[in-house]
Amino acid sequence: MLHVKGFKARTNAAGEVFNSLILEGIVFVKSKETGFYYATLKQASLPTTLSEDECKRMVGQSMAGKVKRVDCDPYEVINEKTGETMTLSHRYLYFPESTEQTQFPEMVNEFSESEEELIH
């Protein structure tokens, strides 16, 4: 289950403005040092045709699905707190409960170019 944390207005390559819901979900990660799992919150952005008012009504709602880590082409992100530049080769994307990751391989590269602020 995911939580709609908020939304952001975005601009596509054609210059058109659209809204994306910011979804937050628990992801279980295996520690490289200890081998034990821990829970952490990760966010994914879901493009939508909803208006700003409709997006506002969605904030705080729960929805079915998962946030999953997906490999992608390397890209750079600047840590807003430290100013450090990091190179990442993964994204966290939304997947409906009944959909497997392998059905969306073309989405990964599209998000690589347009969703750079997913990871802070």
Side-chain angles (χ1 to χ4, degrees):
M1 193 59 80
L2 299 174
H3 173 76
V4 181
K5 184 176 181 180
F7 69 96
K8 289 185 179 181
R10 308 216 190 254
T11 305
N12 65 17
E16 301 166 330
V17 177
F18 64 98
N19 291 314
S20 287
L21 295 175
I22 307 302
L23 307 177
E24 190 172 66
I26 294 176
V27 175
F28 297 94
V29 180
K30 187 175 184 178
S31 170
K32 291 179 183 177
E33 293 180 17
T34 66
F36 294 111
Y37 285 89
Y38 63 93
T40 186
L41 289 174
K42 293 296 180 185
Q43 293 182 356
S45 179
L46 179 64
T48 179
T49 60
L50 299 176
S51 69
E52 182 177 338
D53 287 337
E54 292 166 327
C55 287
K56 286 179 183 177
R57 287 195 299 270
M58 290 292 297
V59 174
Q61 300 294 314
S62 295
M63 59 186 288
K66 294 182 180 183
V67 173
K68 294 183 182 181
R69 180 180 166 142
V70 177
D71 291 334
C72 66
D73 294 334
Y75 63 99
E76 290 187 348
V77 175
I78 298 174
N79 184 314
E80 294 176 0
K81 294 179 183 175
T82 65
E84 174 189 8
T85 300
M86 301 178 288
T87 300
L88 301 176
S89 59
H90 65 273
R91 299 269 183 216
Y92 289 92
L93 300 177
Y94 164 75
F95 289 91
E97 283 184 351
S98 62
T99 303
E100 291 298 320
Q101 177 177 336
T102 56
Q103 294 178 342
F104 294 104
E106 70 281 356
M107 288 177 58
V108 174
N109 288 330
E110 289 177 27
F111 285 121
S112 295
E113 297 172 6
S114 63
E115 299 294 327
E116 295 173 8
E117 61 277 346
L118 277 179
I119 302 170
H120 299 281

